[in-house]
Amino acid sequence: MTTATITRPLSFAGVPLSAWAFGIRIWIAVVVALAASFWLELEAPSTAALTVAILAAPTRGEALHKASYRLIATIIGVTAALAITGLFSQSRDLLLAAFAGWIGLCVYAAGILDGNRAYAAVLSGYTVALVAIQQIDTPEHVFETGMARGAALAVGIAAVALVNDLLAAPDTFPRLASQLAALHRRVRDYAKPVLRDEAVDAATAAGLLRDIAALRPDMASLGAESASGSARSAAARSAAVALVAQVYVARALNALLAAADPASRERMAAALDPSGDRSPASAAVGSAEVDPGAPSPVSAPLARASRELLRRDAEVREGLAALNAGVRPRWKWRTPLYRSQRIAAAAGIRAAACLALPSAFFVLAGWPAAEASLSRVVVVLGLGATTPDPKGFTTLAFIGAPVAALM
């Protein structure tokens, strides 16, 4: 009897060394960002350190991808702040109403996007709060505040990029390749019982599709990782699309296999051998010529579906090979993700209403710190819109804010 040896990652004090390296990189980047901000005498050095914390990601590609969207969103937010202030600076009520409408629009955009694009949408919203609303009594300083925020943000991004390069932060594609390969094995394991006419759970197919779709932000982050990043991103998308198609074909086969004989089903299951080699018996699946003594031939729809399953399996292997080699695949697929316009619009309306209510309260009550309070409300609304549970996120923020104030 042999015992399998499980390789555990090296650790110190119970924490993997990779986690220690990640924490040390972020700490160094924060120190570098603060030192550069003080040396340049920026007005908001804390924004540079906060940018490093927000861009903290274990791989270089994820950090650079989020940094690019953070920079774009800040430019959009500062531009919107200048426009709203320029149009409504003479009327506080109209300014707050326009700001609530802008937040609703940004939350709606976040609802139809995903990943770093959704984060960029909400950042475009609450940047207006950090730039314009906090200067609501001194609108002539909005431009200066926006430029100071942009400069600090650029310093934070530069610090993250420099430290990640100097300390050799890991790339995203090795982990993504292993995840796609594991999903490929799971899809094959799901298809084989279907081909053998065994009972399968529909929840398994739904779980596979969910796990494949969850890799979409990682596939997008490959483009900023290296010179071959765009090719690897296209290869990963090709493999993901082929995996989704393979799950779909397996589900279709489940309805067609009732009339097939057991031998034909077994040959089709054997064709999904992990080695990728098709045996002579499996090669006969879907063939136009069948031996007289062979089992009854499969129907034409079943033969087409079986060939499609094998073709999609080959496309997954080609996509994985292109991903590891850093070359473009033969097919370049897009990976659109469904988002409900109705749900996104409802979330945007709720966000605008949630901002309009405290704005009216602060104005009517003559709240002395209305600008800072509104800014916190907007940040909670924006970041909550990108979480699966906005209500839970708001509850945690409600609990954490007094704790942070006491500290």
Side-chain angles (χ1 to χ4, degrees), residues 383-396:
L383 295 181
T386 61
T387 62
D389 184 12
K391 184 178 179 180
F393 178 84
T394 305
T395 302
L396 292 177

Side-chain angles (χ1 to χ4, degrees), residues 216-275:
R216 190 171 182 270
D218 292 336
M219 291 186 287
S221 68
L222 291 178
E225 194 166 73
S226 62
S228 59
S230 60
R232 285 197 164 103
S233 180
R237 290 196 304 271
S238 175
V241 170
L243 282 172
V244 171
Q246 194 172 10
V247 174
Y248 172 77
V249 175
R251 294 288 294 169
L253 277 170
N254 192 30
L256 294 172
L257 282 169
D261 59 275
S264 298
R265 293 197 296 264
E266 189 61 35
R267 287 200 302 271
M268 285 184 280
L272 288 177
D273 186 80
S275 65

Side-chain angles (χ1 to χ4, degrees), residues 105-336:
L105 180 63
C106 292
V107 170
Y108 163 76
I112 60 176
L113 300 173
D114 71 310
N116 289 327
R117 297 187 300 169
Y119 165 72
V122 297
L123 177 59
S124 301
Y126 68 73
T127 294
V128 177
L130 301 176
V131 173
I133 300 302
Q134 290 196 0
Q135 301 293 335
I136 193 170
D137 294 325
T138 55
E140 65 274 8
H141 295 313
V142 170
F143 180 79
E144 298 174 6
T145 303
M147 293 301 101
R149 178 174 174 79
L153 184 140
V155 169
I157 292 175
V160 170
L162 178 65
V163 171
N164 280 344
D165 284 342
L166 291 180
L167 298 185
D171 291 331
T172 305
F173 92 86
R175 184 193 66 189
L176 180 61
S178 64
Q179 290 174 320
L180 287 172
L183 282 169
H184 188 203
R185 290 191 295 270
R186 288 173 56 192
V187 171
R188 280 175 162 174
D189 293 339
Y190 168 76
K192 289 176 182 178
V194 171
L195 293 172
R196 295 189 176 104
D197 201 21
E198 299 175 5
V200 291
D201 188 5
T204 304
L208 287 169
L209 296 177
R210 181 191 63 242
D211 293 342
I212 295 170
L215 297 179
R216 190 171 182 270
D218 292 336
M219 291 186 287
S221 68
L222 291 178
E225 194 166 73
S226 62
S228 59
S230 60
R232 285 197 164 103
S233 180
R237 290 196 304 271
S238 175
V241 170
L243 282 172
V244 171
Q246 194 172 10
V247 174
Y248 172 77
V249 175
R251 294 288 294 169
L253 277 170
N254 192 30
L256 294 172
L257 282 169
D261 59 275
S264 298
R265 293 197 296 264
E266 189 61 35
R267 287 200 302 271
M268 285 184 280
L272 288 177
D273 186 80
S275 65
D277 297 329
R278 298 180 61 185
S279 63
S282 65
V285 176
S287 176
E289 298 180 0
V290 181
D291 293 336
S296 58
V298 297
S299 63
L302 182 57
R304 286 195 298 269
S306 62
R307 286 196 298 268
E308 179 68 11
L309 182 68
L310 297 178
R311 184 175 73 86
R312 294 298 186 179
D313 190 74
E315 287 182 0
V316 175
R317 293 198 303 269
E318 291 178 7
L320 290 175
L323 174 61
N324 289 307
V327 297
R328 292 191 177 277
R330 287 192 295 170
W331 298 279
K332 184 177 180 181
W333 300 101
R334 294 178 63 251
T335 54

Side-chain angles (χ1 to χ4, degrees), residues 350-380:
R350 284 196 303 270
C354 289
L355 181 59
L357 291 176
S359 298
F361 171 79
F362 291 143
V363 170
L364 294 175
W367 200 266
E371 298 88 351
S373 300
L374 279 177
S375 299
R376 302 304 179 270
V377 171
V378 173
V379 171
V380 172

